[in-house]
Amino acid sequence: MSAEITRPLKEAVDGIPLQRADGLILVLETPKGRGVFASKDIPARTVLEVSPVLVLDPKENDEHIKHTELYHYTYNWPYTAPQNGVNGKSQTNGSRAPLMTQALILGLGSMFNHSTQHQNVGWERDLAKKLITYTTLRNVTKGEELCISYGQRLTFRDSEEEQMASGPEDWTEVLNYMELID
Ligand SMILES: C[S@@+](CC[C@H](N)C(=O)[O-])C[C@H]1O[C@@H](n2cnc3c(N)ncnc32)[C@H](O)[C@@H]1O
């Protein structure tokens, strides 16, 4: 067998393990749009998903992506200028390269909604491998939505905040709250 054939095979064997946990379902119509829910109990510290990301060029992001729907599927990402830039200066316009950009999350990672009160999923960037790993922060019970935190500055109205502001819809809900407080 020639070296040209064996090399790609070896790389495939040494590749990055990708993971998606059992018991995840996508629900299409929720107050937050589509969302990821647990279809069975999931223990704390379970790796739910490893999503590759597409790191965007900061200029393209500012001029184009920021003005499209895609922007809502990106996370902040530290930017490393391409090797042809010298001393942190871009060769195109002479200005210092930006430190941050956005990365588009591929895979299921893009479907996790935000929750301030009920965040049950944490996420971690792997800058070198351009991946994000999503892990449960606590035990999750069947039927719960799996939510991350997008941080303080949201670009949309938080449906959970709106629900809290309007108060419980009926007395069954009030009783449920009381059970939780007990
Ligand atoms: C990364 S996407 C998540 C998937 C999205 N729900 C969908 O259907 O494609 C982020 C978008 O989901 C919605 N979203 C996420 N969390 C939300 C929340 N707490 N309240 C309202 N909308 C939310 C917002 O429209 C936000 O721009």
Side-chain angles (χ1 to χ4, degrees), residues 20-33:
R20 178 169 297 171
D22 278 347
L24 304 183
I25 52 170
L26 187 67
V27 177
L28 299 185
E29 287 178 27
T30 82
K32 305 174 184 177

Side-chain angles (χ1 to χ4, degrees), residues 123-137:
W123 55 274
E124 192 177 15
R125 299 180 185 91
D126 183 330
L127 299 184
K129 294 180 183 154
K130 297 183 183 159
L131 299 172
I132 295 193
T133 300
Y134 296 86
T135 310
T136 47
L137 297 172

Side-chain angles (χ1 to χ4, degrees), residues 35-77:
V36 185
F37 285 68
S39 62
K40 64 175 198 181
D41 293 351
I42 304 176
R45 290 182 292 282
T46 301
V47 172
L48 297 175
E49 161 82 2
V50 178
S51 292
V53 309
L54 178 66
V55 181
L56 301 170
D57 174 86
K59 193 163 177 279
E60 282 180 6
N61 179 53
D62 258 19
E63 290 177 4
H64 305 291
I65 308 286
K66 228 177 190 171
H67 309 288
T68 71
E69 183 70 11
L70 276 183
Y71 191 62
H72 301 292
Y73 297 83
T74 65
Y75 293 9
N76 289 333
W77 199 270

Side-chain angles (χ1 to χ4, degrees), residues 31-34 72-73 110-114 150 156-159:
K32 305 174 184 177
R34 291 165 294 179
H72 301 292
Y73 297 83
S110 256
M111 290 294 115
F112 290 108
N113 288 318
H114 165 84
Y150 293 5
F156 51 85
R157 274 168 176 261
D158 186 345
S159 67

